[in-house]
Amino acid sequence: MDGLRVKAFCLLGPKPGWRVLDIGCGDGWFSIQKTLVFKDVHSTGIDLYEAEDSKKNAQLFELKNCTFMMMNAYEMEFKEKFDAAVLFFSLGNICSGKEDLINLFNKVKEALKIEGKRISKSTIN
């Protein structure tokens, strides 16, 4: 379970009890891998098309701290805030231009705690 996405997530210094938002989670594989490695970190994955597949994949591993929802990233709203948000290989599927990117990142900012962390290119370098 040492895939690139899990290694990048490690750079954020995750702590037990963290809540992580996986935007554009696709089949859920990052959240599943991360949950298997970091058992005390909860993942919430959202995807407009593959959330049901993600749920089925998580059920194969009997994961309790990994949830998936069918949701439009531009319309996401959560009662609780997240400690971190990740977008792996999903920006091209979600955003079609600068305005979309700005709108998406504003929604991500709303979903994060004030001290919430994001994986960006500068974090990985």
Side-chain angles (χ1 to χ4, degrees), residues 4-5 7-13 18 20-21 23 30 83-89 91 101 105 108 112 116-125:
L4 176 62
R5 293 179 281 185
K7 286 181 180 181
F9 178 72
C10 289
L11 295 173
L12 295 176
W18 264 27
V20 178
L21 178 60
I23 302 165
F30 162 72
D83 298 286
V86 297
L87 294 102
F88 290 112
F89 311 113
L91 282 178
L101 191 62
F105 284 166
V108 171
L112 288 172
K117 296 187 176 188
R118 308 150 188 89
I119 293 180
S120 67
K121 184 178 178 189
S122 61
T123 307
I124 296 173
N125 287 339

Side-chain angles (χ1 to χ4, degrees), residues 2 5-7 9 11 24 30 50 58 62-63 66 71 75 78 86 94 96 107 114 120 124-125:
D2 63 347
R5 293 179 281 185
V6 173
K7 286 181 180 181
F9 178 72
L11 295 173
F30 162 72
E50 296 183 79
E62 299 178 354
L63 299 174
C66 192
M71 184 182 296
E75 298 171 2
F78 298 96
V86 297
I94 297 172
S96 61
K107 291 302 284 186
I114 292 173
S120 67
I124 296 173
N125 287 339

Side-chain angles (χ1 to χ4, degrees), residues 53-77:
D53 293 335
S54 302
K55 287 178 188 178
K56 290 176 186 173
N57 292 338
Q59 289 171 349
L60 292 172
F61 293 93
E62 299 178 354
L63 299 174
K64 304 294 183 216
N65 58 339
C66 192
T67 58
F68 297 97
M69 296 180 237
M70 188 169 289
M71 184 182 296
N72 183 325
Y74 296 109
E75 298 171 2
M76 64 181 166
E77 289 186 24

